[in-house]
Amino acid sequence: MSRWRPPAEKSTALITRGGHDRLKSELDELWRIKRPEVVKALAAAAAEGDRSENAEYTYRKKQLGEIDRRVRYLSKRLPSLRIVETVPTDPESVFFGARVEVENVASGESQRYRIVGPDETDARAGWISIDSPLARAMLKKRLDDEFEAMLPSGAARFVIVDVSYEDAGA
């Protein structure tokens, strides 16, 4: 059996100012604080002798690899991102950075989302990626427009109840 997988789709290189600042501070913390701590702990574990049975050494090597992987990713990703801080000319249409309230036509249930870049999604806060099926379906729709989105549970119809762009750069 082959381990080949098709290449992942390119994610959109858009981000809010707040998301960009969070990624930059994460990179800074990893590089200046966490990595030196792990390197120091790794050196101490290596000094204990036999590395083949040293759990602390194995753990720290793995931890250092994870930090280095994340640092490499952020170092490549941050320069390619485009920060979006402007409000669109039509504030009643759904675009990047919008806070959108949608109502499920079938159940009447209302949900609030914010459309953000793929690097800053947070399901608990209602921040969905612009690359998600729901966000793609609602892009360019206006207040009171009805649309259909293909969700993991199947097709669902929604109506846009509210669109706002307060603190769009955050």
mmCIF file with all atom_site columns, all heavy atoms in Angstrom, residues 27-42:
data_model
loop_
_atom_site.group_PDB
_atom_site.id
_atom_site.type_symbol
_atom_site.label_atom_id
_atom_site.label_alt_id
_atom_site.label_comp_id
_atom_site.label_asym_id
_atom_site.label_entity_id
_atom_site.label_seq_id
_atom_site.pdbx_PDB_ins_code
_atom_site.Cartn_x
_atom_site.Cartn_y
_atom_site.Cartn_z
_atom_site.occupancy
_atom_site.B_iso_or_equiv
_atom_site.pdbx_formal_charge
_atom_site.auth_seq_id
_atom_site.auth_comp_id
_atom_site.auth_asym_id
_atom_site.auth_atom_id
_atom_site.pdbx_PDB_model_num
ATOM 1   N N   . LEU A 1 27 ? 5.839  33.050 17.201 1.00 0.00 ? 27 LEU A N   1
ATOM 2   C CA  . LEU A 1 27 ? 7.166  32.774 16.644 1.00 0.00 ? 27 LEU A CA  1
ATOM 3   C C   . LEU A 1 27 ? 8.254  33.329 17.552 1.00 0.00 ? 27 LEU A C   1
ATOM 4   O O   . LEU A 1 27 ? 9.238  32.647 17.850 1.00 0.00 ? 27 LEU A O   1
ATOM 5   C CB  . LEU A 1 27 ? 7.288  33.373 15.238 1.00 0.00 ? 27 LEU A CB  1
ATOM 6   C CG  . LEU A 1 27 ? 8.655  33.242 14.558 1.00 0.00 ? 27 LEU A CG  1
ATOM 7   C CD1 . LEU A 1 27 ? 9.039  31.784 14.366 1.00 0.00 ? 27 LEU A CD1 1
ATOM 8   C CD2 . LEU A 1 27 ? 8.645  33.981 13.222 1.00 0.00 ? 27 LEU A CD2 1
ATOM 9   N N   . ASP A 1 28 ? 8.067  34.545 18.025 1.00 0.00 ? 28 ASP A N   1
ATOM 10  C CA  . ASP A 1 28 ? 9.048  35.179 18.902 1.00 0.00 ? 28 ASP A CA  1
ATOM 11  C C   . ASP A 1 28 ? 9.198  34.394 20.206 1.00 0.00 ? 28 ASP A C   1
ATOM 12  O O   . ASP A 1 28 ? 10.318 34.153 20.664 1.00 0.00 ? 28 ASP A O   1
ATOM 13  C CB  . ASP A 1 28 ? 8.617  36.624 19.189 1.00 0.00 ? 28 ASP A CB  1
ATOM 14  C CG  . ASP A 1 28 ? 9.709  37.410 19.882 1.00 0.00 ? 28 ASP A CG  1
ATOM 15  O OD1 . ASP A 1 28 ? 10.857 37.390 19.393 1.00 0.00 ? 28 ASP A OD1 1
ATOM 16  O OD2 . ASP A 1 28 ? 9.409  38.030 20.929 1.00 0.00 ? 28 ASP A OD2 1
ATOM 17  N N   . GLU A 1 29 ? 8.073  33.972 20.792 1.00 0.00 ? 29 GLU A N   1
ATOM 18  C CA  . GLU A 1 29 ? 8.129  33.215 22.048 1.00 0.00 ? 29 GLU A CA  1
ATOM 19  C C   . GLU A 1 29 ? 8.811  31.859 21.841 1.00 0.00 ? 29 GLU A C   1
ATOM 20  O O   . GLU A 1 29 ? 9.635  31.438 22.661 1.00 0.00 ? 29 GLU A O   1
ATOM 21  C CB  . GLU A 1 29 ? 6.726  32.998 22.607 1.00 0.00 ? 29 GLU A CB  1
ATOM 22  C CG  . GLU A 1 29 ? 6.725  32.230 23.914 1.00 0.00 ? 29 GLU A CG  1
ATOM 23  C CD  . GLU A 1 29 ? 5.346  31.931 24.429 1.00 0.00 ? 29 GLU A CD  1
ATOM 24  O OE1 . GLU A 1 29 ? 4.375  32.560 23.984 1.00 0.00 ? 29 GLU A OE1 1
ATOM 25  O OE2 . GLU A 1 29 ? 5.242  31.043 25.288 1.00 0.00 ? 29 GLU A OE2 1
ATOM 26  N N   . LEU A 1 30 ? 8.482  31.186 20.748 1.00 0.00 ? 30 LEU A N   1
ATOM 27  C CA  . LEU A 1 30 ? 9.108  29.887 20.472 1.00 0.00 ? 30 LEU A CA  1
ATOM 28  C C   . LEU A 1 30 ? 10.615 30.033 20.304 1.00 0.00 ? 30 LEU A C   1
ATOM 29  O O   . LEU A 1 30 ? 11.392 29.249 20.847 1.00 0.00 ? 30 LEU A O   1
ATOM 30  C CB  . LEU A 1 30 ? 8.513  29.259 19.208 1.00 0.00 ? 30 LEU A CB  1
ATOM 31  C CG  . LEU A 1 30 ? 7.124  28.653 19.325 1.00 0.00 ? 30 LEU A CG  1
ATOM 32  C CD1 . LEU A 1 30 ? 6.609  28.240 17.951 1.00 0.00 ? 30 LEU A CD1 1
ATOM 33  C CD2 . LEU A 1 30 ? 7.113  27.465 20.261 1.00 0.00 ? 30 LEU A CD2 1
ATOM 34  N N   . TRP A 1 31 ? 11.037 31.040 19.550 1.00 0.00 ? 31 TRP A N   1
ATOM 35  C CA  . TRP A 1 31 ? 12.447 31.193 19.211 1.00 0.00 ? 31 TRP A CA  1
ATOM 36  C C   . TRP A 1 31 ? 13.275 31.738 20.369 1.00 0.00 ? 31 TRP A C   1
ATOM 37  O O   . TRP A 1 31 ? 14.395 31.291 20.599 1.00 0.00 ? 31 TRP A O   1
ATOM 38  C CB  . TRP A 1 31 ? 12.568 32.095 17.993 1.00 0.00 ? 31 TRP A CB  1
ATOM 39  C CG  . TRP A 1 31 ? 13.958 32.121 17.437 1.00 0.00 ? 31 TRP A CG  1
ATOM 40  C CD1 . TRP A 1 31 ? 14.828 33.162 17.461 1.00 0.00 ? 31 TRP A CD1 1
ATOM 41  C CD2 . TRP A 1 31 ? 14.638 31.045 16.792 1.00 0.00 ? 31 TRP A CD2 1
ATOM 42  N NE1 . TRP A 1 31 ? 16.005 32.814 16.858 1.00 0.00 ? 31 TRP A NE1 1
ATOM 43  C CE2 . TRP A 1 31 ? 15.919 31.502 16.444 1.00 0.00 ? 31 TRP A CE2 1
ATOM 44  C CE3 . TRP A 1 31 ? 14.307 29.735 16.485 1.00 0.00 ? 31 TRP A CE3 1
ATOM 45  C CZ2 . TRP A 1 31 ? 16.853 30.709 15.795 1.00 0.00 ? 31 TRP A CZ2 1
ATOM 46  C CZ3 . TRP A 1 31 ? 15.231 28.947 15.839 1.00 0.00 ? 31 TRP A CZ3 1
ATOM 47  C CH2 . TRP A 1 31 ? 16.487 29.436 15.505 1.00 0.00 ? 31 TRP A CH2 1
ATOM 48  N N   . ARG A 1 32 ? 12.735 32.709 21.094 1.00 0.00 ? 32 ARG A N   1
ATOM 49  C CA  . ARG A 1 32 ? 13.525 33.379 22.140 1.00 0.00 ? 32 ARG A CA  1
ATOM 50  C C   . ARG A 1 32 ? 13.367 32.767 23.533 1.00 0.00 ? 32 ARG A C   1
ATOM 51  O O   . ARG A 1 32 ? 14.246 32.933 24.371 1.00 0.00 ? 32 ARG A O   1
ATOM 52  C CB  . ARG A 1 32 ? 13.152 34.849 22.205 1.00 0.00 ? 32 ARG A CB  1
ATOM 53  C CG  . ARG A 1 32 ? 13.501 35.607 20.956 1.00 0.00 ? 32 ARG A CG  1
ATOM 54  C CD  . ARG A 1 32 ? 13.182 37.088 21.120 1.00 0.00 ? 32 ARG A CD  1
ATOM 55  N NE  . ARG A 1 32 ? 13.185 37.797 19.873 1.00 0.00 ? 32 ARG A NE  1
ATOM 56  C CZ  . ARG A 1 32 ? 14.281 38.237 19.263 1.00 0.00 ? 32 ARG A CZ  1
ATOM 57  N NH1 . ARG A 1 32 ? 15.454 38.007 19.793 1.00 0.00 ? 32 ARG A NH1 1
ATOM 58  N NH2 . ARG A 1 32 ? 14.196 38.893 18.124 1.00 0.00 ? 32 ARG A NH2 1
ATOM 59  N N   . ILE A 1 33 ? 12.241 32.102 23.803 1.00 0.00 ? 33 ILE A N   1
ATOM 60  C CA  . ILE A 1 33 ? 11.995 31.612 25.159 1.00 0.00 ? 33 ILE A CA  1
ATOM 61  C C   . ILE A 1 33 ? 11.960 30.084 25.221 1.00 0.00 ? 33 ILE A C   1
ATOM 62  O O   . ILE A 1 33 ? 12.787 29.462 25.895 1.00 0.00 ? 33 ILE A O   1
ATOM 63  C CB  . ILE A 1 33 ? 10.681 32.205 25.725 1.00 0.00 ? 33 ILE A CB  1
ATOM 64  C CG1 . ILE A 1 33 ? 10.797 33.730 25.797 1.00 0.00 ? 33 ILE A CG1 1
ATOM 65  C CG2 . ILE A 1 33 ? 10.362 31.627 27.097 1.00 0.00 ? 33 ILE A CG2 1
ATOM 66  C CD1 . ILE A 1 33 ? 9.504  34.457 26.031 1.00 0.00 ? 33 ILE A CD1 1
ATOM 67  N N   . LYS A 1 34 ? 11.021 29.476 24.501 1.00 0.00 ? 34 LYS A N   1
ATOM 68  C CA  . LYS A 1 34 ? 10.830 28.028 24.632 1.00 0.00 ? 34 LYS A CA  1
ATOM 69  C C   . LYS A 1 34 ? 11.994 27.210 24.084 1.00 0.00 ? 34 LYS A C   1
ATOM 70  O O   . LYS A 1 34 ? 12.424 26.246 24.716 1.00 0.00 ? 34 LYS A O   1
ATOM 71  C CB  . LYS A 1 34 ? 9.523  27.600 23.962 1.00 0.00 ? 34 LYS A CB  1
ATOM 72  C CG  . LYS A 1 34 ? 8.313  28.019 24.751 1.00 0.00 ? 34 LYS A CG  1
ATOM 73  C CD  . LYS A 1 34 ? 7.074  27.354 24.254 1.00 0.00 ? 34 LYS A CD  1
ATOM 74  C CE  . LYS A 1 34 ? 5.906  27.776 25.137 1.00 0.00 ? 34 LYS A CE  1
ATOM 75  N NZ  . LYS A 1 34 ? 4.657  27.195 24.697 1.00 0.00 ? 34 LYS A NZ  1
ATOM 76  N N   . ARG A 1 35 ? 12.489 27.572 22.903 1.00 0.00 ? 35 ARG A N   1
ATOM 77  C CA  . ARG A 1 35 ? 13.564 26.783 22.306 1.00 0.00 ? 35 ARG A CA  1
ATOM 78  C C   . ARG A 1 35 ? 14.822 26.777 23.169 1.00 0.00 ? 35 ARG A C   1
ATOM 79  O O   . ARG A 1 35 ? 15.385 25.707 23.425 1.00 0.00 ? 35 ARG A O   1
ATOM 80  C CB  . ARG A 1 35 ? 13.876 27.265 20.889 1.00 0.00 ? 35 ARG A CB  1
ATOM 81  C CG  . ARG A 1 35 ? 14.779 26.297 20.138 1.00 0.00 ? 35 ARG A CG  1
ATOM 82  C CD  . ARG A 1 35 ? 14.974 26.720 18.681 1.00 0.00 ? 35 ARG A CD  1
ATOM 83  N NE  . ARG A 1 35 ? 15.602 25.674 17.919 1.00 0.00 ? 35 ARG A NE  1
ATOM 84  C CZ  . ARG A 1 35 ? 16.880 25.348 18.009 1.00 0.00 ? 35 ARG A CZ  1
ATOM 85  N NH1 . ARG A 1 35 ? 17.692 25.989 18.844 1.00 0.00 ? 35 ARG A NH1 1
ATOM 86  N NH2 . ARG A 1 35 ? 17.378 24.376 17.268 1.00 0.00 ? 35 ARG A NH2 1
ATOM 87  N N   . PRO A 1 36 ? 15.297 27.936 23.671 1.00 0.00 ? 36 PRO A N   1
ATOM 88  C CA  . PRO A 1 36 ? 16.478 27.906 24.552 1.00 0.00 ? 36 PRO A CA  1
ATOM 89  C C   . PRO A 1 36 ? 16.258 27.068 25.820 1.00 0.00 ? 36 PRO A C   1
ATOM 90  O O   . PRO A 1 36 ? 17.177 26.374 26.270 1.00 0.00 ? 36 PRO A O   1
ATOM 91  C CB  . PRO A 1 36 ? 16.700 29.379 24.904 1.00 0.00 ? 36 PRO A CB  1
ATOM 92  C CG  . PRO A 1 36 ? 16.110 30.123 23.769 1.00 0.00 ? 36 PRO A CG  1
ATOM 93  C CD  . PRO A 1 36 ? 14.937 29.313 23.329 1.00 0.00 ? 36 PRO A CD  1
ATOM 94  N N   . GLU A 1 37 ? 15.041 27.098 26.377 1.00 0.00 ? 37 GLU A N   1
ATOM 95  C CA  . GLU A 1 37 ? 14.750 26.286 27.564 1.00 0.00 ? 37 GLU A CA  1
ATOM 96  C C   . GLU A 1 37 ? 14.874 24.800 27.243 1.00 0.00 ? 37 GLU A C   1
ATOM 97  O O   . GLU A 1 37 ? 15.450 24.027 28.011 1.00 0.00 ? 37 GLU A O   1
ATOM 98  C CB  . GLU A 1 37 ? 13.341 26.566 28.082 1.00 0.00 ? 37 GLU A CB  1
ATOM 99  C CG  . GLU A 1 37 ? 13.166 27.889 28.758 1.00 0.00 ? 37 GLU A CG  1
ATOM 100 C CD  . GLU A 1 37 ? 11.697 28.193 29.093 1.00 0.00 ? 37 GLU A CD  1
ATOM 101 O OE1 . GLU A 1 37 ? 10.815 27.354 28.807 1.00 0.00 ? 37 GLU A OE1 1
ATOM 102 O OE2 . GLU A 1 37 ? 11.447 29.276 29.642 1.00 0.00 ? 37 GLU A OE2 1
ATOM 103 N N   . VAL A 1 38 ? 14.310 24.387 26.101 1.00 0.00 ? 38 VAL A N   1
ATOM 104 C CA  . VAL A 1 38 ? 14.335 22.976 25.713 1.00 0.00 ? 38 VAL A CA  1
ATOM 105 C C   . VAL A 1 38 ? 15.762 22.540 25.377 1.00 0.00 ? 38 VAL A C   1
ATOM 106 O O   . VAL A 1 38 ? 16.182 21.436 25.742 1.00 0.00 ? 38 VAL A O   1
ATOM 107 C CB  . VAL A 1 38 ? 13.373 22.708 24.531 1.00 0.00 ? 38 VAL A CB  1
ATOM 108 C CG1 . VAL A 1 38 ? 13.534 21.304 23.982 1.00 0.00 ? 38 VAL A CG1 1
ATOM 109 C CG2 . VAL A 1 38 ? 11.937 22.926 24.977 1.00 0.00 ? 38 VAL A CG2 1
ATOM 110 N N   . VAL A 1 39 ? 16.532 23.402 24.726 1.00 0.00 ? 39 VAL A N   1
ATOM 111 C CA  . VAL A 1 39 ? 17.923 23.072 24.400 1.00 0.00 ? 39 VAL A CA  1
ATOM 112 C C   . VAL A 1 39 ? 18.728 22.872 25.685 1.00 0.00 ? 39 VAL A C   1
ATOM 113 O O   . VAL A 1 39 ? 19.521 21.923 25.795 1.00 0.00 ? 39 VAL A O   1
ATOM 114 C CB  . VAL A 1 39 ? 18.560 24.166 23.506 1.00 0.00 ? 39 VAL A CB  1
ATOM 115 C CG1 . VAL A 1 39 ? 20.064 24.007 23.420 1.00 0.00 ? 39 VAL A CG1 1
ATOM 116 C CG2 . VAL A 1 39 ? 17.949 24.132 22.117 1.00 0.00 ? 39 VAL A CG2 1
ATOM 117 N N   . LYS A 1 40 ? 18.502 23.729 26.671 1.00 0.00 ? 40 LYS A N   1
ATOM 118 C CA  . LYS A 1 40 ? 19.202 23.609 27.955 1.00 0.00 ? 40 LYS A CA  1
ATOM 119 C C   . LYS A 1 40 ? 18.813 22.296 28.656 1.00 0.00 ? 40 LYS A C   1
ATOM 120 O O   . LYS A 1 40 ? 19.668 21.578 29.175 1.00 0.00 ? 40 LYS A O   1
ATOM 121 C CB  . LYS A 1 40 ? 18.856 24.799 28.864 1.00 0.00 ? 40 LYS A CB  1
ATOM 122 C CG  . LYS A 1 40 ? 19.753 24.925 30.077 1.00 0.00 ? 40 LYS A CG  1
ATOM 123 C CD  . LYS A 1 40 ? 19.373 26.108 30.941 1.00 0.00 ? 40 LYS A CD  1
ATOM 124 C CE  . LYS A 1 40 ? 19.676 27.394 30.214 1.00 0.00 ? 40 LYS A CE  1
ATOM 125 N NZ  . LYS A 1 40 ? 19.375 28.596 31.019 1.00 0.00 ? 40 LYS A NZ  1
ATOM 126 N N   . ALA A 1 41 ? 17.525 21.961 28.661 1.00 0.00 ? 41 ALA A N   1
ATOM 127 C CA  . ALA A 1 41 ? 17.056 20.719 29.283 1.00 0.00 ? 41 ALA A CA  1
ATOM 128 C C   . ALA A 1 41 ? 17.579 19.503 28.519 1.00 0.00 ? 41 ALA A C   1
ATOM 129 O O   . ALA A 1 41 ? 17.901 18.475 29.125 1.00 0.00 ? 41 ALA A O   1
ATOM 130 C CB  . ALA A 1 41 ? 15.531 20.699 29.336 1.00 0.00 ? 41 ALA A CB  1
ATOM 131 N N   . LEU A 1 42 ? 17.671 19.605 27.191 1.00 0.00 ? 42 LEU A N   1
ATOM 132 C CA  . LEU A 1 42 ? 18.194 18.520 26.372 1.00 0.00 ? 42 LEU A CA  1
ATOM 133 C C   . LEU A 1 42 ? 19.666 18.278 26.687 1.00 0.00 ? 42 LEU A C   1
ATOM 134 O O   . LEU A 1 42 ? 20.103 17.130 26.820 1.00 0.00 ? 42 LEU A O   1
ATOM 135 C CB  . LEU A 1 42 ? 18.007 18.835 24.888 1.00 0.00 ? 42 LEU A CB  1
ATOM 136 C CG  . LEU A 1 42 ? 18.511 17.809 23.885 1.00 0.00 ? 42 LEU A CG  1
ATOM 137 C CD1 . LEU A 1 42 ? 17.743 16.504 24.017 1.00 0.00 ? 42 LEU A CD1 1
ATOM 138 C CD2 . LEU A 1 42 ? 18.378 18.341 22.467 1.00 0.00 ? 42 LEU A CD2 1
#
